[in-house]
Amino acid sequence: RTTFRWMWRGTYLSLLGLVGAVIYDGYLDRYPDVQFIPDPEKKTLVVLGTGWGSVALLKKLDCANYNVIVISPRNYFLFTPLLPSCTTGNIEHRSIMEPVRQILRHKKAAAKFYEADATKIDYERKVIKISDNSDVKGTINETEVPYDMLVVGVGAENATFGIPGVREHSCFLKEIRDAQAIRTKIMDCVETAAFKDQDSAEIDRLLHMVVVGGGPTGVEFAGELRDFFDHDIQKLIPDIAPRFKVTLVEALPNVLPMFSKQLIDYTESTFKEEHIEIKTKTMVKKVTDKTIEAEITGPDGKKSLITIPYGLLVWATGNAVRPLVKDLMSQIPAQKDSRRGLAVNEYLVVQGARDIWAVGDCAVAGYAPTAQVASQEGAFLARLFNNMAKTEALDTKVKELSSSLNVRPGNAAEITSEIESLEKQLRRQKDIKPFHYSHQGSLAYIGSEKAVADVAWFNGNLASGGKLTYLFWRSAYLSMCFSTRNRVLVAMDWIKAKVYGRDVSRE
Ligand code: FAD
Ligand code: NAI
């Protein structure tokens, strides 16, 4: 009994310690130290965007070395891997947002933030035109920001390939407002289908949820949607249950092309069990307010047209270049052959431009447009800039000491040895290795509390799928959340949804 009592006390104290650590972390978050005032003598470093690339840069950048200005229409960082879970209320959207002002408040020196869209980068004049496109505008809502160094981290926009009707009728899944719109529309379709005396064909249409694009965004969303229906809607509105249908449409012969064959097969068979229909080799050509028209390639290679009625259409066909980036590319002759974004060299310098770097989905460095790549690029640039600042400081010191040699010839030996030691440091600092991406693996949730993972394992690759992988998926994403606050909120949302079910009220 004594052993048991001590074990109980030990567990209790550990739990208390954990709660204390969480509260202390929150306290530190709320009351950060005093910051240095920016020094006008220093170079102005402008960072565009508050996504994975830019925030990874800001996290590691020593802001005392530069006057840092951050410009983005979004005053928060968004943890995109958990965005599909927000569409069904498994996670509440604020749990995966981190205010950028909170991030900047923790820097050694104050950094400025402007909530605005960069509308033009004039790289000859080294200025950026910015515009406040939010609902509330002051008398001045357009101005210019000059820069000495610029980092472009504006991500990408949704690709529609100019297919008619896509912009007007579908929902995308990139931003918080997209997830909110999907959540509202799912419930609108369900409640309208449950309307008294609703027409039978209309019920089928309203309850047909179509996802276009079998990449990880489309697959994860389809899985979340089916879970929502099976765990919650079905129990609350059982009379419409048999009519609910999810279809995933993909132009290629299979979904999740970046995963191994084994995991593609596993995903496809899991979807079959979950009653998610996959239509591969099906290319959507036109969208109207109630139907999509697609071209199917049959096993004999013959093409035929089909029309699919839908209630909700989610369009997840990947990335396209933002107009700001297209415009910058058109100003730089060296970018004329680049199609998918700003071509950068191995130090992430935009080719053909001076003092401009690019990170993440808007940069073409030879890697996939993922959060993993963007955050490693951002962290690399932070190291590069911290290093450049140190190099400049050492250079200035060497110059000062060299000129003092003539003024103080008596101390020549001492000064020369100091110069030699500084030059040694300088050589070490200047020896910066180019950016190297280290792939940690790919993870995706596929519904029914199952996930697939292709992860780097020692020198090889480990492919796994199922419930255990789902636990790994959850713990990996929980640990990757931006802050302790995010982690606590996400964990609480998961518990809340498990215990009480997802909230089906339509906002
Ligand atoms: P973003 O993170 O998109 O950030 C771009 C920033 O630029 C935003 O703050 C935006 O507001 C701002 N901006 C836009 N226009 C302007 C402008 N004109 N001026 C100034 N600022 C501007 N990747 C993974 O590796 N793992 C995952 O599990 C994963 N899951 C995903 C799930 C979903 C639903 C989605 C959509 C993507 C997912 N990704 C994942 C991909 C990942 O989110 C992107 O690759 C990543 O966000 C790219 O980072 P970024 O910094 O380039 O751009
Ligand atoms: P994607 O580019 O990976 O996939 C889009 C899919 O849409 C493609 O398979 C394409 O063949 C298909 N498609 C295009 N046009 C079509 C049409 N007209 N009709 C039918 N199908 C069509 O896009 P996604 O999923 O949005 O991902 C974007 C990036 O974000 C990728 O790099 C991806 O790896 C990353 N990401 C990673 C996640 C993860 O690791 N869990 C989750 C979500 C995104």
Side-chain angles (χ1 to χ4, degrees):
R1 265 177 57 196
T2 319
T3 318
F4 178 74
R5 201 177 301 142
W6 277 109
M7 270 170 64
W8 166 241
R9 277 184 192 160
T11 316
Y12 178 71
L13 283 176
S14 319
L15 272 174
L16 212 65
L18 189 75
V19 172
V22 169
I23 293 172
Y24 183 63
D25 196 72
Y27 170 80
L28 288 182
D29 265 7
R30 291 195 56 170
Y31 302 103
D33 295 338
V34 176
Q35 295 177 305
F36 302 137
I37 304 297
D39 177 355
E41 296 292 301
K42 292 194 169 142
K43 283 186 175 165
T44 299
L45 168 63
V46 174
V47 179
L48 300 183
T50 47
W52 279 95
S54 303
V55 164
L57 157 70
L58 292 169
K59 227 172 157 181
K60 293 224 158 76
L61 182 73
D62 185 349
C63 287
N65 294 327
Y66 303 96
N67 289 315
V68 179
I69 299 177
V70 183
I71 299 165
S72 174
R74 209 170 76 183
N75 79 345
Y76 56 88
F77 165 74
L78 172 64
F79 187 75
T80 46
L82 292 178
L83 190 61
S85 303
C86 293
T87 58
T88 58
N90 201 20
I91 288 178
E92 293 298 335
H93 61 272
R94 285 198 178 264
S95 306
I96 56 165
M97 293 158 69
E98 185 69 19
V100 72
R101 297 214 176 255
Q102 184 84 343
I103 300 167
L104 296 180
R105 192 67 187 91
H106 283 85
K107 303 308 295 181
K108 225 194 280 171
K112 281 204 161 65
F113 172 73
Y114 300 126
E115 192 190 73
D117 279 285
T119 50
K120 180 153 184 89
I121 298 166
D122 186 336
Y123 103 102
E124 296 285 357
R125 288 174 54 226
K126 289 185 116 178
V127 293
I128 301 150
K129 290 191 176 148
I130 64 166
S131 156
D132 175 6
N133 292 330
S134 65
D135 291 342
V136 179
K137 291 188 183 61
T139 43
I140 293 172
N141 50 52
E142 281 183 358
T143 186
E144 288 188 345
V145 179
Y147 67 83
D148 297 306
M149 296 156 76
L150 171 67
V151 177
V152 187
V154 297
E157 61 177 28
N158 296 295
T160 63
F161 308 104
I163 296 171
V166 174
R167 287 231 177 267
E168 298 85 324
H169 305 299
S170 32
C171 296
F172 297 106
L173 184 49
K174 201 163 190 62
E175 299 290 344
I176 282 293
R177 60 176 177 276
D178 299 331
Q180 287 171 308
I182 293 174
R183 191 173 171 183
T184 305
K185 190 138 188 210
I186 296 170
M187 283 321 296
D188 203 357
C189 285
V190 168
E191 296 296 1
T192 309
F195 190 73
K196 186 170 179 299
D197 303 329
Q198 187 59 271
D199 177 72
S200 178
E202 190 65 350
I203 295 178
D204 285 336
R205 181 187 72 79
L206 287 163
L207 294 182
H208 190 196
M209 315 272 147
V210 176
V211 185
V212 180
T217 305
V219 165
E220 291 195 329
F221 170 68
E224 292 278 356
L225 189 56
R226 194 72 234 186
D227 284 358
F228 182 31
F229 183 74
D230 291 345
H231 299 165
D232 301 289
I233 300 179
Q234 196 172 29
K235 290 180 192 143
L236 296 171
I237 322 172
D239 38 321
I240 57 164
R243 320 281 284 270
F244 190 84
K245 193 173 161 200
V246 180
T247 302
L248 182 64
V249 180
E250 167 57 51
L252 297 176
N254 55 265
V255 297
L256 293 182
M258 68 291 291
F259 281 82
S260 57
K261 171 90 178 68
Q262 175 197 349
L263 292 181
I264 291 172
D265 292 345
Y266 181 75
T267 305
E268 292 185 349
S269 69
T270 305
F271 270 22
K272 210 171 187 178
E273 284 165 25
E274 292 170 6
H275 304 291
I276 297 174
E277 189 184 350
I278 302 181
K279 280 189 187 299
T280 48
K281 296 190 187 169
T282 307
M283 168 89 78
V284 176
K285 297 279 184 184
K286 190 180 167 191
V287 173
T288 69
D289 59 342
K290 290 181 182 165
T291 60
I292 60 171
E293 285 170 26
E295 187 181 76
I296 292 197
T297 310
D300 53 356
K302 273 199 182 143
K303 292 187 171 26
S304 57
L305 273 182
I306 52 162
T307 301
I308 308 173
Y310 71 84
L312 169 80
L313 173 64
V314 173
W315 193 265
T317 61
N319 294 342
V321 183
R322 286 198 192 277
L324 174 82
V325 173
K326 265 191 208 153
D327 178 74
L328 177 61
M329 286 161 71
S330 70
Q331 296 175 55
I332 306 170
Q335 296 285 332
K336 79 172 190 321
D337 293 329
S338 187
R339 292 283 165 271
R340 291 168 159 245
L342 290 160
V344 293
N345 70 10
E346 71 273 32
Y347 289 91
L348 307 180
V349 176
V350 172
Q351 284 177 10
R354 253 186 342 111
D355 300 324
I356 307 183
W357 290 259
V359 286
D361 287 2
C362 66
V364 179
Y367 307 107
T370 65
Q372 238 185 103
V373 171
S375 61
Q376 287 185 29
E377 288 178 343
F380 169 82
L381 273 197
R383 282 196 303 277
L384 186 78
F385 293 162
N386 292 344
N387 217 311
M388 277 162 65
K390 274 192 205 139
T391 311
E392 254 171 54
L394 284 172
D395 247 341
T396 318
K397 191 87 197 283
V398 168
K399 276 185 199 134
E400 275 169 18
L401 284 172
S402 305
S403 47
S404 74
L405 266 176
N406 305 330
V407 189
R408 295 184 292 151
N411 297 25
E414 198 185 312
I415 295 174
T416 313
S417 113
E418 202 175 333
I419 291 177
E420 275 170 10
S421 137
L422 285 174
E423 278 177 339
K424 223 189 246 171
Q425 281 184 47
L426 202 57
R427 273 195 297 277
R428 262 203 313 271
Q429 290 286 343
K430 279 187 174 165
D431 184 27
I432 309 169
K433 302 266 177 301
F435 173 69
H436 171 74
Y437 169 62
S438 150
H439 185 61
Q440 303 300 306
S442 307
L443 274 170
Y445 180 61
I446 58 170
S448 295
E449 303 195 337
K450 289 178 187 165
V452 285
D454 255 335
V455 285
W457 186 258
F458 293 102
N459 283 337
N461 204 50
L462 181 75
S464 77
K467 302 248 178 210
L468 262 181
T469 315
Y470 167 67
L471 290 180
F472 173 66
W473 175 88
R474 273 205 161 177
S475 45
Y477 281 162
L478 197 61
S479 69
M480 278 159 59
C481 281
F482 188 86
S483 62
T484 311
R485 185 185 71 91
N486 287 151
R487 265 172 230 124
V488 171
L489 292 177
V490 167
M492 277 171 20
D493 287 344
W494 279 335
I495 296 169
K496 197 174 72 185
K498 192 88 192 158
V499 176
Y500 299 108
R502 296 163 183 81
D503 185 344
V504 298
S505 32
R506 184 168 78 84
E507 285 171 273

